[in-house]
Amino acid sequence: MKKSFINPSFPHLLHGGDYNPDQWQDRPDILAEDMRLMQLANCNALSVGIFAWASLEPEEGKYDFSFMDKALDDIYKAGGRVVLATPSGARPAWLSMKYPEVLRTNVDGSRNTHGMRHNHCYSSPIYRQKVAEINRRIAERYQNHPALLVWHISNEYGGKCYCENCKRAFRAWLQDKYKTLDALNKAWWTAFWSHTYTAWEQIDPPMDHGERYTNGLDLDWKRFCTHQTTDFMKAEIRAVKAVTPNVPVTTNMMGFYHGLDYRVLAKELDVISNDIYPTWRGTQADINTAIDAAFIHDLCRTMKHQPFMLMESTPSHVNWHEYNKLKRPGAHELASLQTIAHGADTVQYFQFRKSRGAGEQFHGAVIDHEGSENTRVFKEVAALGARMKQLDAIVGTKTAARVAILHDWSNRWALESAQGFQLKHKKIGTTQRQFYRSFWKRGINVDVISPEDNFTRYDLVVAPMLYSVSDAQGQKLAAYVEQGGTLVCTYTTAMVDETTLAHLGGWPGAGLRRVFGIWNEEIDTLYPDDCNTVQTPFGNVKAVDYCELLHAEGAEVIATYASDFYAGMPAATVNRYGKGKAYYFAFRDTGDFTDAMMEKLLNDLNITSDFDGALPHGVTAHSRTDGENVFVFLQNFNTEAANVSTATAWQTVENGSTVCGAITLKPYETLILKKER
Ligand code: GLA
Ligand code: ZN
């Protein structure tokens, strides 16, 4: 497996964070301290300029790069590198005042006043022009600066704008997609409630005080928002790439953020980067937190099947959780190494130095208001940095996964806006994580794939609640099974197509009825205090939320309902199709059935962890590989010590000592082990 570097000129793990010298221009003493402390913290990368537009262009057309010049020079002299940002995430007041169209318009038609951030219009020609101009100037100024490593395009893109420019762009996008109103009306089923459109100008985005029940409109609006944001981002990227074609670009994402289909953005980026702030609590609840975080890391890695950047995390606590608890000693190292275990080549923070005032003054940082290297947090960061320096061998390595979970933004949008089932809580994320947990606790690498990925590289594909399936996607799933793959789907599979029109001819649609060998006639949504019992090979389990009423049409029945009017009907099935098998789980279980089934499938398919020993509760192992060696991160998420044992003679990556036999992992301990593949 060929290694893949974020920037081959610096083949080390990056450690550092968002750094705002623009906030400290009157304190040269502090700026000098920052460089001393960066070295002491074993940091080697700072992200500069993220919200610095007002410093860089204090008046329209008047530029002042002095703070940035000094920051880049100083960081480089101190041995560091720079992740350099474009400043479009927040704009100077003069810009909003002079060109109000750059301000975002809310769904009720009101326009934002100047303030806050992440609230510009993505369509505004003037905003695009101003952003391209400042981006170009930054790129021209630093194109040959030896510190420049990666472009950090904007910051956490998100949100929607309902201004006339955006509405016009939406209509043009629709026109391009559907060509005729007739096609659009059919796809959106607008004859319902007399919603037929007879002119493109009649189409508005979905709004609470307007159209809400045209599911196809809702889905297309969300797709359009992704398109428009991506288009804006592309314009930003063009401005810097025109000057620095070889400097990689990224933008910091937010995991499974609902508002954008990140895979569309990903196509325009060289590297994926992500911001993550899990609620580590210092209790056994951290095991669930770890599972959720791991699932997000796997999504980020899989988007490009290459190492990603952890662009933001906190070394201690945030300021915006409901309860801003400190990370317990050791938790920071554990969480950071977990990210690397799942494919990150960087550990970066928001923020390097705490700002003195304003909205984030009490957010965790490497350097506290106290200002020295003597804080607990600083020492933990420095210790982590020291470990990271020993991990050059990991840099650029990839993850070999035989299991994939399918997550598709369009599917989630379609399902969540569907009028029916459990109206407000479809729980697709919960369902996905229920499967993910089974793999996590067994130390199995998982890719989080899209419908566009190549399924055939996986032995097992799990596609929970894949509600919206086009005919082409149905054919692809069928071909995967036919060629020998094992596919697991659940309740709500293939009920509608890619425009949210119901599949006719029985569920699962899109040609999957014969693949699963079943007909799903009805779906029973239970009240929260209802349940059914399902008889399974592993004993009786509880069915909650959803019970579908299946007929086996050739499939073998694995489990049956035990009560209610559908007692005796199939609750889970498997069908041989071509060389593969298609499993269907018709009910939501509370975890035990999913877990037992996943264990069975892993055994059937001979999929094992790269760590050979049994993993106790809260301990897991994930691996990366360079093709010749396997690097296993053995991690204990328990607040207590845990015992494992291995029959392999491992080497620790950091000091080459041999590990074999019984191992006691301290609370929160990570061992990074290596063996030949
Ligand atoms: C986000 C932003 C940062 C900062 C952090 C605080 O991730 O990108 O600028 O506000 O949150 O946690
Ligand atoms: Zn707009």
Side-chain angles (χ1 to χ4, degrees):
M1 254 190 209
K2 220 174 138 258
K3 288 193 194 181
S4 172
F5 297 103
I6 292 169
N7 186 328
S9 75
F10 197 72
H12 310 287
L13 296 176
L14 300 188
H15 186 217
D18 287 16
Y19 176 51
N20 299 101
D22 42 318
Q23 296 175 11
W24 298 93
Q25 284 309 290
D26 58 347
R27 293 297 302 267
D29 54 324
I30 283 186
L31 297 176
E33 245 328 66
D34 286 340
M35 294 302 105
R36 185 182 76 85
L37 292 171
M38 178 183 91
Q39 290 172 321
L40 282 182
N42 294 311
C43 284
N44 59 9
L46 298 179
S47 308
V48 178
I50 297 170
F51 297 110
W53 200 340
S55 297
L56 296 170
E57 192 180 357
E59 278 175 50
E60 186 168 17
K62 269 202 167 174
Y63 299 93
D64 177 359
F65 290 98
S66 52
F67 99 81
M68 209 173 243
D69 289 352
K70 179 171 160 47
L72 266 64
D73 290 350
D74 288 354
I75 292 166
Y76 189 70
K77 267 184 235 142
R81 295 291 186 279
V82 169
V83 175
L84 192 56
T86 67
S88 64
R91 74 205 82 83
W94 60 256
L95 206 156
S96 306
M97 293 288 279
K98 181 158 178 203
Y99 308 102
E101 69 161 65
V102 306
L103 299 166
R104 190 169 291 179
T105 298
N106 300 304
V107 64
D108 64 3
S110 65
R111 182 177 273 161
N112 284 335
T113 55
H114 179 76
M116 299 303 286
R117 60 173 179 174
H118 301 154
N119 53 8
H120 54 272
C121 168
Y122 291 115
S123 307
S124 157
I126 193 79
Y127 199 58
R128 287 181 178 219
Q129 184 194 320
K130 290 287 170 194
V131 168
E133 181 66 19
I134 187 81
N135 288 7
R136 179 180 66 82
R137 283 174 188 268
I138 297 171
E140 279 173 357
R141 191 157 185 104
Y142 303 109
Q143 54 180 317
N144 296 318
H145 201 290
L148 173 59
L149 213 56
V150 180
W151 286 112
H152 180 300
I153 303 295
S154 199
N155 192 69
E156 294 189 342
Y157 285 120
K160 307 173 173 65
C161 175
Y162 294 81
C163 76
E164 288 308 316
N165 279 334
C166 285
K167 286 186 196 168
R168 261 195 300 278
F170 179 43
R171 291 172 196 134
W173 181 85
L174 289 171
Q175 211 163 343
D176 187 50
K177 175 169 178 178
Y178 291 102
K179 311 293 181 223
T180 68
L181 274 176
D182 191 42
L184 175 142
N185 281 316
K186 283 199 176 112
W188 291 0
W189 206 252
T190 53
F192 177 77
W193 286 352
S194 231
H195 288 186
T196 308
Y197 297 101
T198 54
W200 294 98
E201 298 69 44
Q202 294 163 356
I203 304 173
D204 267 340
M207 304 183 187
D208 278 352
H209 58 294
E211 183 54 76
R212 275 190 294 138
Y213 269 21
T214 301
N215 302 329
L217 163 69
D218 196 76
L219 184 55
D220 274 333
W221 167 246
K222 288 178 174 134
R223 287 176 175 141
F224 164 76
C225 290
T226 291
H227 163 86
Q228 199 66 354
T229 305
T230 308
D231 198 54
F232 181 91
M233 182 185 80
K234 279 163 74 176
E236 286 216 45
I237 292 173
R238 270 197 304 276
V240 298
K241 283 265 179 183
V243 185
T244 57
N246 298 322
V247 178
V249 297
T250 188
T251 189
N252 49 339
M253 299 180 171
M254 300 172 275
F256 286 96
Y257 171 63
H258 191 260
L260 291 170
D261 181 344
Y262 279 146
R263 294 211 183 85
V264 178
L265 280 77
K267 289 185 183 142
E268 312 301 329
L269 302 169
D270 299 306
V271 187
I272 299 301
S273 64
N274 192 50
D275 301 346
I276 190 169
Y277 296 97
T279 49
W280 301 108
R281 295 179 63 166
T283 67
Q284 290 300 95
D286 285 350
I287 295 168
N288 282 334
T289 304
I291 293 170
D292 292 355
F295 191 35
I296 293 170
H297 301 325
D298 287 346
L299 168 77
C300 295
R301 182 195 67 244
T302 310
M303 269 193 251
K304 284 205 169 285
H305 298 276
Q306 70 187 33
F308 68 99
M309 301 175 76
L310 171 61
M311 189 62 88
E312 289 181 26
S313 61
T314 177
S316 49
H317 57 88
V318 296
N319 64 335
W320 51 267
H321 286 165
E322 194 159 357
Y323 305 98
N324 295 295
K325 193 170 183 176
L326 301 177
K327 276 183 180 170
R328 285 13 225 173
H332 177 58
E333 179 183 273
L334 181 73
S336 302
L337 294 176
Q338 181 198 28
T339 319
I340 298 174
H342 287 267
D345 272 2
T346 80
V347 173
Q348 294 158 274
Y349 310 115
F350 180 83
Q351 50 195 337
F352 186 61
R353 177 185 282 277
K354 261 182 207 183
S355 51
R356 186 159 183 204
E360 296 188 319
Q361 67 186 141
F362 298 119
H363 190 291
V366 178
I367 307 173
D368 188 62
H369 294 136
E370 188 268 345
S372 79
E373 64 271 42
N374 301 321
T375 64
R376 178 185 70 87
V377 170
F378 189 97
K379 287 181 200 157
E380 288 205 35
V381 167
L384 170 70
R387 279 194 86 172
M388 288 174 65
K389 280 187 177 167
Q390 314 293 309
L391 299 179
D392 277 354
I394 306 285
V395 183
T397 60
K398 305 232 175 119
T399 301
R402 294 173 61 195
V403 176
I405 294 182
L406 196 146
H407 170 84
D408 176 33
W409 263 270
S410 274
N411 173 61
R412 176 171 153 204
W413 290 333
L415 181 65
E416 285 179 356
S417 69
Q419 292 295 310
F421 321 117
Q422 275 196 352
L423 202 55
K424 296 218 171 77
H425 308 287
K426 307 292 195 313
K427 297 190 197 160
I428 182 168
T430 312
T431 308
Q432 290 170 333
R433 285 196 300 273
Q434 189 157 306
F435 283 96
Y436 185 80
R437 151 187 299 273
S438 291
F439 304 122
W440 184 89
K441 69 184 208 185
R442 295 183 173 84
I444 306 291
N445 295 336
V446 174
D447 278 355
V448 182
I449 59 169
S450 87
E452 288 181 18
D453 265 288
N454 172 10
F455 301 161
T456 58
R457 61 160 107 178
Y458 305 101
D459 296 304
L460 174 60
V461 172
V462 181
M465 300 187 85
L466 193 61
Y467 165 76
S468 158
V469 181
S470 68
D471 286 340
Q473 288 170 350
Q475 277 164 22
K476 188 170 166 181
L477 289 166
Y480 167 68
V481 181
E482 196 168 5
Q483 288 158 28
T486 298
L487 174 68
V488 178
C489 286
T490 70
Y491 40 90
T492 75
T493 293
M495 300 185 88
V496 302
D497 70 8
E498 70 280 19
T499 69
T500 76
L501 290 180
H503 283 296
L504 303 179
W507 294 316
L512 293 173
R513 183 167 168 176
R514 64 198 160 85
V515 176
F516 289 99
I518 53 159
W519 168 34
N520 165 25
E521 185 183 347
E522 291 184 90
I523 174 162
D524 190 18
T525 303
L526 306 184
Y527 284 94
D529 53 356
D530 285 341
C531 69
N532 201 318
T533 300
V534 176
Q535 290 164 338
T536 82
F538 321 104
N540 286 356
V541 300
K542 223 165 114 173
V544 295
D545 296 339
Y546 299 115
C547 295
E548 286 179 343
L549 281 55
L550 302 189
H551 304 275
E553 296 179 332
E556 179 193 324
V557 176
I558 302 173
T560 49
Y561 294 111
S563 59
D564 218 325
F565 73 94
Y566 40 91
M569 287 182 87
T573 57
V574 56
N575 194 42
R576 281 175 191 283
Y577 183 79
K579 293 192 208 133
K581 287 183 180 174
Y583 286 83
Y584 195 92
F585 300 173
F587 68 103
R588 179 177 279 159
D589 86 297
T590 51
D592 294 347
F593 176 72
T594 302
D595 193 50
M597 281 301 297
M598 291 308 105
E599 181 170 43
K600 176 191 148 36
L601 294 188
L602 291 172
N603 287 337
D604 289 355
L605 297 166
N606 197 21
I607 300 172
T608 54
S609 173
D610 279 322
F611 184 74
D612 58 331
L615 296 168
H617 180 68
V619 175
T620 192
H622 289 87
S623 70
R624 297 177 61 164
T625 179
D626 59 7
E628 283 162 26
N629 303 290
V630 183
F631 303 96
V632 168
F633 291 68
L634 183 63
Q635 300 203 280
N636 179 15
F637 288 88
N638 291 290
T639 50
E640 317 258 298
N643 296 316
V644 279
S645 86
T646 171
T648 305
W650 297 91
Q651 268 193 324
T652 60
V653 175
E654 285 140 292
N655 59 25
S657 61
T658 303
V659 171
C660 191
I663 310 170
T664 299
L665 290 165
K666 295 195 248 339
Y668 291 167
E669 185 174 2
T670 302
L671 285 180
I672 308 171
L673 307 170
K674 178 180 138 176
K675 68 171 183 190
E676 277 179 22
R677 202 167 182 214

